[in-house]
């Protein structure tokens, strides 16, 4: 089978993110970047599925030439080839999904596995748009029945499974009140939640092999996609600083404050 | 703030990110606990074996990846960031000093017996050179090995042996010809459980507390002649052969730890306010941090220079000794300055700085003291 996965370049969660004084974006100086952790889980799940069923994993990223670093990372983890959509400017979720849809049409994968969201803007839209554009079924927030400390995880069993006839994908989804299992005919779009797997490290042999794996370069114009943003960020403001809490001397005061000041009980 | 030095390529950087992730997820969160317990789990050796970190410079036929010493240099720098000198020392000893003589001087059979399981992390190794009465003066070692048929009968003791308490094998420097000086030395592999070989005590240390450091004793210990590395009398050259890498490894570890301390200090002066402004706004502190960064950069450039010569195949004994001395002493200054910058908090056990401060102090002592380094440098000057 062929699986397409995504590898968005995002700010490292360890970096300190600051909004610039004009409120037009964040201060890029001193930031470190990495692959979106949800996408890294998607890459891992793709690799586990092809380890079990055979096939190949194609990784896609959209951005300037710096996103090749994230593609190389996915290749070093074990992905077989990479597609780089070269575009340096801003993109909204619709444009990203439209570009991915074109890549999918060219690559014809059985499954497209994406992180459910990226940790920069936390939009959680692209997977759903992509399924709509392609007319495919979707199974979002793929999770696992077993814990990430379980033997199944240590044995690198995939959390996303194929049905007995191999024509559908069976996905456990994380929902508000627990886990729901859905079955979806392939080809399909799956988006990954945090509790699906623990991604492998890029091993040294993997890093060496990644050097000679191909990265195919595409452009929005070449794919015939108009990427003019329909959604524009007007202003960015940092969240208000948290006020210091107070200490109460006893339970009675606490109850009084909850009742009369906070009015929550 | 990494400067352009042209030593590491894209793949080294990618490998550095992998090691950094491993250190961050699997070592750092537990460093304090292991330091307090004065031991890190034995399973870390097998984990490092699994990750391929114990055989970076060894041939593939023995389970290594034949990637070279530059990758090991990256590993050593990043490992030192884990916050526990003991963890990096214990794991580091396995690939920098314990297995290196096996790789260089062992026969195929010896490599299969000890090197292969050591690269997998299934067997822990130690190097036993120092004794109660001799360290860098290796010609003065007193542990003897007297030939008796197919065996050597070994008598003596070894001191400050990293991984010595739980080592499955020790690569031991012995006097096979007690009458001779340098030419009477040989290297023998002694396995745990050999009658007459044992641990006298586990040593208490100022720093590196998570690593086990032992005094070993050998009393009429019969070691098969098949355990001799190379030929009798080659011990001196064999010991010297790996000193360069051992000293570079200590310099590289000092760079990693110092870089971590500098980053911690930079963060602190930005976050901590006094007299209505961040510490970073006080010129005296800005300049101190500038000096700390410069101090680190000097040591880094000298170490990388020695490393470049070394991986290029030169026997860069002067530069390596200089780098070892400069980098380890710099790390002591860095830890001391970082502690001072943190004020009262720096003196508290709950921060990692005190541990770095204690751990760093070993640098100018282990693997040959700064005074010994100066002696070597002086000799290279022809005096």
């Amino acid at each position: 089978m062929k699986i397409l996965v995504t590898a968005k370049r995002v700010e490292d969660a360890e970096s300190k993110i600051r909004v610039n004084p004009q409120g037009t974006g964040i201060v890029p100086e001193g930031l470190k970047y990495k692959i979106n952790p949800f996408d890294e889980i998607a890459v891992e799940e793709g690799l586990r599925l092809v380890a079990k069923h055979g096939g190949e994993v194609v990784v896609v990223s959209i951005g300037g030439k710096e996103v090749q670093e994230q593609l190389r990372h996915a290749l070093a983890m074990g992905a077989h080839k990479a597609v780089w959509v070269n575009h340096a400017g801003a993109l909204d979720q619709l444009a990203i999904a439209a570009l991915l849809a074109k890549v999918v049409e060219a690559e014809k994968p059985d499954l497209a596995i994406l992180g459910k969201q990226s940790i920069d803007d936390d939009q959680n839209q692209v997977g759903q748009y992509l399924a709509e554009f392609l007319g495919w079924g979707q199974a979002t927030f793929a999770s696992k029945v077993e814990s990430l400390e379980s033997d199944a995880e240590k044995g690198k069993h995939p959390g996303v499974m194929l049905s007995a006839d191999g024509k559908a994908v069976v996905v456990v989804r994380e929902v508000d009140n627990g886990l729901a299992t859905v079955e979806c005919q392939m080809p399909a779009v799956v988006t990954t939640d945090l509790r699906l797997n623990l991604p492998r490290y890029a091993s040294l042999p993997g890093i060496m092999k990644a050097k000679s794996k191909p990265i195919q370069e595409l452009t929005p114009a070449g794919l015939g996609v108009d990427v003019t943003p329909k959604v524009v960020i007007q202003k960015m403001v940092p969240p208000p600083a948290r006020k210091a809490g107070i200490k109460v001397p006893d339970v009675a005061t606490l109850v009084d404050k909850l009742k009369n000041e906070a009015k929550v009980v | 703030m990494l400067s352009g030095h042209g030593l590491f390529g894209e793949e080294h950087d990618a490998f550095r990110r992998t090691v950094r992730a491993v250190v961050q997820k699997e070592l750092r969160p537990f460093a304090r606990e292991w330091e307090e317990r004065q031991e890190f789990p034995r399973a870390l050796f097998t984990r490092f074996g699994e990750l391929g970190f114990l055989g970076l410079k060894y041939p593939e036929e023995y389970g290594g990846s034949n990637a070279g010493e530059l990758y090991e240099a990256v590993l050593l720098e990043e490992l030192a960031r884990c916050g526990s000198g003991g963890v990096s020392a214990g794991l580091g000893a396995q690939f920098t000093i314990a297995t290196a003589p096996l790789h260089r001087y062992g026969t195929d059979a010896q490599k299969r017996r000890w090197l292969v399981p050591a690269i997998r992390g299934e067997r822990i190794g130690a190097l036993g050179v120092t004794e109660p009465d001799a360290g860098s003066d290796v010609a003065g070692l007193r542990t003897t090995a007297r030939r008796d048929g197919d065996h050597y009968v070994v008598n003596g003791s070894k001191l400050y042996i990293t991984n010595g308490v739980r080592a499955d094998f020790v690569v031991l420097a012995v006097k096979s010809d007690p009458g001779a000086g340098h030419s009477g030395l040989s290297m023998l592999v002694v396995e745990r459980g050999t009658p007459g070989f044992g641990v006298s005590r586990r040593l208490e240390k100022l720093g590196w507390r998570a690593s086990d450091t032992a005094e070993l004793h050998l009393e009429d210990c019969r070691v098969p002649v098949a355990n001799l590395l190379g030929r009798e009398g080659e011990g001196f050259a064999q010991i010297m052969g790996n000193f360069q890498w051992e000293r570079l490894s200590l310099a590289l570890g000092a760079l990693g730890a110092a870089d971590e301390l500098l980053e911690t200090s930079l963060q602190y002066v930005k976050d901590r306010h006094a007299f209505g402004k961040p510490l970073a706004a006080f010129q005296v502190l800005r300049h101190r941090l500038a000096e700390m960064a410069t101090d680190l950069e000097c040591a880094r450039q000298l170490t990388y220079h020695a490393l470049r010569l070394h991986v290029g195949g030169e026997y860069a004994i002067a530069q390596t000794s200089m780098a070892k001395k400069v980098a380890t002493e710099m790390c002591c200054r860095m830890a001391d300055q970082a502690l001072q910058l943190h004020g009262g908090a720096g003196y508290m056990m709950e921060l990692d700085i005190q541990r770095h401060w204690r751990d760093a102090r070993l640098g100018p002592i282990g693997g040959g003291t700064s005074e010994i380094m100066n002696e070597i440098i002086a000799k290279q000057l022809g005096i």
Side-chain angles (χ1 to χ4, degrees):
Chain A
M1 67 189 306
K2 188 171 184 177
I3 299 175
L4 184 132
V5 297
T6 48
K8 186 178 182 185
R9 179 181 174 87
V10 296
E11 292 79 20
D12 190 333
E14 307 251 321
S15 313
K16 258 207 169 147
I17 313 282
R18 284 173 299 147
V19 174
N20 66 26
Q22 305 81 34
T24 52
I26 58 169
V27 182
E29 279 81 33
L31 288 182
K32 285 178 187 152
Y33 294 86
K34 61 187 292 189
I35 181 173
N36 173 34
F38 289 99
D39 283 344
E40 198 172 28
I41 292 167
V43 176
E44 175 67 34
E45 200 61 22
L47 292 172
R48 290 183 188 188
L49 279 165
V50 300
K52 192 166 177 195
H53 301 286
E56 61 167 353
V57 172
V58 182
V59 57
V60 191
S61 193
I62 307 171
K65 66 174 184 332
E66 63 281 357
V67 305
Q68 290 187 39
E69 194 182 308
Q70 280 61 51
L71 290 173
R72 289 272 176 230
H73 176 79
L75 292 172
M77 284 174 73
H80 300 80
K81 67 170 201 170
V83 175
W84 166 37
V85 181
N86 185 354
H87 178 76
L91 289 170
D92 64 11
Q93 292 69 39
L94 281 165
I96 295 167
L99 290 170
L100 289 176
K102 289 290 178 190
V103 176
V104 166
E105 280 168 19
E107 292 290 332
K108 300 183 178 57
D110 303 287
L111 274 178
I113 311 183
L114 293 75
K116 71 165 183 177
Q117 64 199 60
S118 57
I119 62 160
D120 45 8
D121 291 338
D122 283 323
Q123 298 271 356
N124 185 356
Q125 295 182 22
V126 171
Q128 293 87 334
Y129 282 142
L130 177 63
E132 175 64 23
F133 288 162
L134 295 168
W136 289 8
Q138 56 176 297
T140 51
F141 317 147
S143 193
K144 207 176 198 165
V145 181
E146 306 91 359
S147 85
L148 292 183
E149 281 78 43
S150 65
D151 290 341
E153 177 56 26
K154 284 192 191 109
K156 296 201 179 294
H157 292 302
V160 173
M161 322 260 202
L162 298 193
S163 61
D165 64 3
K167 288 183 177 157
V169 60
V170 181
V171 176
V172 173
R173 304 180 64 221
E174 203 165 303
V175 291
D176 280 348
N177 49 0
L179 298 169
T181 304
V182 296
E183 197 174 301
C184 201
Q185 290 305 308
M186 292 202 291
V189 173
V190 173
T191 74
T192 57
D193 216 322
L194 278 186
R195 277 167 291 275
L196 179 60
N197 61 48
L198 292 174
R200 68 197 66 190
Y201 299 111
S203 70
L204 185 54
I207 290 167
M208 299 294 201
K209 273 185 218 147
K211 245 191 331 192
S212 53
K213 289 179 181 173
I215 295 184
Q216 184 191 358
E217 184 183 343
L218 301 171
T219 60
L223 290 168
V225 177
D226 175 12
V227 294
T228 314
K230 297 180 181 67
V231 181
V232 178
I233 293 174
Q234 298 285 355
K235 192 160 177 57
M236 207 179 258
V237 286
R242 236 200 208 168
K243 285 189 200 131
I246 54 160
K247 275 189 184 167
V248 291
D250 50 41
V251 176
T253 323
L254 174 66
V255 173
D256 177 64
K257 283 189 182 294
L258 288 174
K259 214 177 219 169
N260 301 315
E261 277 181 37
K263 298 190 197 310
V264 290
V265 289
Chain B
M1 190 179 66
L2 268 178
S3 54
H5 36 68
L7 191 54
F8 301 110
E10 250 175 65
E11 284 75 35
H12 297 106
D13 292 345
F15 181 63
R16 189 183 293 278
R17 284 192 290 273
T18 293
V19 181
R20 201 168 280 197
V22 172
V23 167
Q24 213 160 33
K25 284 183 206 159
E26 301 187 28
L27 303 184
R28 271 185 90 127
F30 312 102
R32 170 180 304 272
E33 186 192 327
W34 296 335
E35 280 282 319
E36 278 166 12
R37 242 200 283 150
Q38 295 189 39
E39 189 176 79
F40 61 87
R42 197 185 161 102
L44 267 193
F45 284 98
T46 42
R47 179 70 183 130
F48 264 51
E50 229 172 64
L51 290 164
F53 290 176
L54 301 176
L56 293 170
K57 58 177 192 265
Y58 300 138
E60 281 156 341
E61 57 172 317
Y62 298 112
S65 51
N66 201 24
E69 285 170 319
L70 274 183
Y71 284 94
E72 198 163 289
V74 169
L75 174 62
L76 286 160
E77 274 189 82
E78 293 304 319
L79 203 47
R81 291 173 180 274
C82 78
S84 161
V87 171
S88 33
L91 293 168
Q94 178 90 348
F95 57 80
T96 56
I97 52 174
T99 48
L102 298 171
H103 160 61
R104 285 176 176 225
Y105 312 111
T107 61
D108 181 64
Q110 289 173 330
K111 286 176 190 173
R112 295 201 184 279
R113 188 175 174 92
W114 298 300
L115 182 61
V116 169
I119 289 174
R120 286 202 206 111
E122 290 162 1
R123 292 279 177 277
I124 300 175
L127 178 71
V129 177
T130 302
E131 296 180 0
D133 297 310
S136 293
D137 172 24
V138 288
L141 294 178
R142 291 187 187 169
T143 298
T144 56
R146 180 176 50 82
R147 179 82 183 250
D148 178 25
D150 290 342
H151 287 79
Y152 286 100
V153 181
V154 185
N155 280 288
S157 60
K158 294 285 170 185
L159 196 61
Y160 311 139
I161 305 308
T162 303
N163 290 345
V165 177
R166 54 183 176 183
D168 297 297
F169 65 86
V170 183
V171 180
L172 212 61
V174 294
K175 271 279 174 73
S176 48
D177 181 357
H182 293 122
S183 59
L185 285 162
S186 299
M187 299 281 264
L188 270 182
V189 181
V190 184
E191 292 185 344
R192 175 213 281 278
T194 310
F197 168 59
V199 177
S200 321
R201 60 196 171 111
R202 192 198 158 96
L203 302 166
E204 281 280 336
K205 307 185 294 297
L206 171 69
W208 282 29
R209 290 180 69 82
S211 77
D212 90 54
T213 308
E215 178 171 356
L216 307 174
H217 66 84
L218 299 115
E219 201 181 340
D220 290 331
C221 177
R222 294 180 70 83
V223 180
V225 170
N227 291 19
L228 177 73
L229 290 186
R231 284 194 300 260
E232 234 180 65
E234 289 180 345
F236 184 74
Q238 292 171 347
I239 296 166
M240 293 298 139
N242 199 51
F243 263 162
Q244 300 312 302
W245 188 244
E246 180 178 359
R247 287 166 186 163
L248 274 173
S249 77
L250 287 159
L252 289 159
L255 296 183
D259 204 39
E260 182 73 22
L261 283 160
L262 181 62
E263 274 180 22
T264 308
S265 302
L266 282 169
Q267 196 55 53
Y268 187 74
V269 297
K270 282 187 221 163
D271 293 344
R272 166 85 178 178
H273 285 66
F275 304 105
K277 51 184 179 178
L279 294 186
F282 291 88
Q283 194 180 43
V284 67
L285 298 181
R286 297 171 64 75
H287 284 199
R288 183 170 301 165
L289 280 153
E291 281 162 6
M292 287 159 73
T294 308
D295 202 10
L296 168 57
E297 193 60 21
C298 289
R300 189 194 299 282
Q301 293 308 327
L302 179 54
T303 304
Y304 283 179
H305 175 58
L307 177 61
R308 187 181 288 115
L309 295 176
H310 180 84
V311 297
E314 271 188 58
Y315 189 57
I317 185 163
Q319 291 85 348
T320 298
S321 307
M322 290 172 184
K324 194 265 177 187
K325 180 172 128 65
V326 166
T328 55
E329 291 181 355
M330 174 278 298
C331 192
C332 289
R333 286 192 297 275
M334 186 70 83
D336 202 54
Q337 294 278 20
L339 198 154
Q340 185 69 21
L341 275 172
H342 279 71
Y347 199 64
M348 295 299 114
M349 294 305 276
E350 64 191 85
L351 290 199
D352 280 351
I353 294 181
Q354 47 80 22
R355 195 183 310 121
H356 273 294
W357 188 78
R358 289 182 286 114
D359 287 349
R361 195 60 189 84
L362 185 91
I365 297 171
T369 60
S370 285
E371 291 71 24
I372 291 287
M373 294 305 106
N374 277 342
E375 254 327 283
I376 295 169
I377 298 163
K379 261 185 210 151
Q380 296 301 306
L381 293 172
I383 52 173

